[in-house]
Amino acid sequence: MKNTGKRILTGALVSSALAGPALACEPVHSVRYQVEGMFEIRVNGVLAHFGTTSSGFLNLSDGVAQGENTVSVMFMKTQEEGYARFAVHKACEGQLPDETPVASLELNDSDELEMTFVRDAAVAAPYPGAETTDGEGLEEAVRALQTAVRARDVKAVFALHGPLLTSMEADGAPMDKINDHVTRMLTQGDIAVADEIVIRPLMGGLAWEVSGSNYSKPVSIYLKADGGEYNWSSGTRWIYVDDAWAVLEP
């Protein structure tokens, strides 16, 4: 994608004064986008969304930290009349976003731009007991997952997924079927691991994203059986909890 320059736009927060007692507000930020062409949206350096001609809302909760946050967008025209509009909106949890954006930009040519906004409130932990860290030891944990997958060590792989399995069970997922499926994939499937990995902080270090080149998964397994094709991948979202690194999201 051609980058014809990089500029930074800072959006001022917009607040509304309400009569009567102030109500508690858990802030939620989102990006409204309308694009004719190809685009990417990154939050604090982490890829949040990409695509071609489309419009919609993107919730930014996963990548937002307390304090200043940066939304980076890249746009490439694919036709003469191409354009892109992006706007960050704020809302209270469970309510519609404010009509007036806290930051916005518009592109009519291929370009890369940034806009910033501030979240005053602290960010809730993505999992009970998750700690904010500097990422120390995470690469070793990812390599341990890859080693366990290569060795088809089902017990070791499941041990690294404690928070994910706990969350799935709490949501009522059919754990017996899921465990059987993953076990079959690990013991019978074709395995691929990312030799080079990139580690990025989320939520100010409360969670971390791990990916291979071109945002491939750290571990992936492919299985062709029973007339169907099956895929399983994991290792993209990690947290530090109970003095150990663990997978929160596959």
Side-chain angles (χ1 to χ4, degrees):
M1 182 176 294
K2 183 179 178 182
N3 176 8
T4 60
K6 186 173 182 180
R7 291 168 278 156
I8 299 177
L9 289 77
T10 302
L13 287 175
V14 178
S15 61
S16 297
L18 299 177
L23 300 178
C25 172
E26 175 63 26
V28 177
H29 291 86
S30 60
V31 172
R32 174 183 286 174
Y33 59 91
Q34 185 176 7
V35 182
E36 290 283 345
M38 298 177 61
F39 69 99
E40 289 184 356
I41 303 174
R42 295 175 183 266
V43 183
N44 296 324
V46 178
L47 182 64
H49 187 60
F50 66 93
T52 57
T53 302
S54 60
S55 61
F57 267 96
L58 172 66
N59 191 311
L60 302 182
S61 59
D62 283 349
V64 173
Q66 185 175 15
E68 185 173 271
N69 294 268
T70 301
V71 176
S72 307
V73 300
M74 288 194 293
F75 168 64
M76 185 172 72
K77 291 179 67 171
T78 55
Q79 53 187 354
E80 183 60 31
E81 61 272 21
Y83 67 91
R85 301 187 184 100
F86 302 91
V88 177
H89 292 261
K90 180 183 177 182
C92 293
E93 183 72 41
Q95 298 182 15
L96 294 175
D98 294 340
E99 284 297 321
T100 303
V102 299
S104 63
L105 54 85
E106 184 170 344
L107 303 91
N108 294 306
D109 291 300
S110 299
D111 205 346
E112 177 181 354
L113 298 177
E114 292 181 350
M115 50 185 172
T116 65
F117 67 92
V118 174
R119 177 189 167 99
D120 295 321
V123 178
Y127 185 84
E131 300 178 26
T132 299
T133 76
D134 60 3
E136 182 179 358
L138 177 53
E139 182 175 358
E140 289 80 1
V142 177
R143 297 306 184 190
L145 172 62
Q146 293 177 327
T147 297
V149 169
R150 283 195 183 102
R152 303 185 187 276
D153 187 338
V154 176
K155 184 177 180 180
V157 171
F158 273 76
L160 286 165
H161 288 75
L164 172 61
L165 297 174
T166 299
S167 297
M168 292 175 67
E169 185 174 12
D171 291 338
M175 298 308 297
D176 289 343
K177 292 183 179 180
I178 291 172
N179 292 343
D180 289 345
H181 170 72
V182 175
T183 298
R184 185 185 187 192
M185 296 295 295
L186 285 167
T187 55
Q188 300 179 22
D190 296 324
I191 294 169
V193 302
D195 293 328
E196 296 182 4
I197 59 174
V198 179
I199 298 175
R200 306 173 182 85
L202 300 173
M203 305 169 70
L206 268 172
W208 292 76
E209 180 189 78
V210 180
S211 67
S213 59
N214 299 320
Y215 281 86
S216 61
K217 304 284 187 175
V219 295
S220 300
I221 301 178
Y222 169 79
L223 177 64
K224 189 173 183 178
D226 304 327
E229 298 180 353
Y230 306 92
N231 292 281
W232 180 83
S233 57
S234 190
T236 59
R237 186 69 56 86
W238 293 74
I239 57 172
Y240 191 78
V241 61
D242 295 332
D243 299 320
W245 287 100
V247 178
L248 178 64
E249 295 180 15

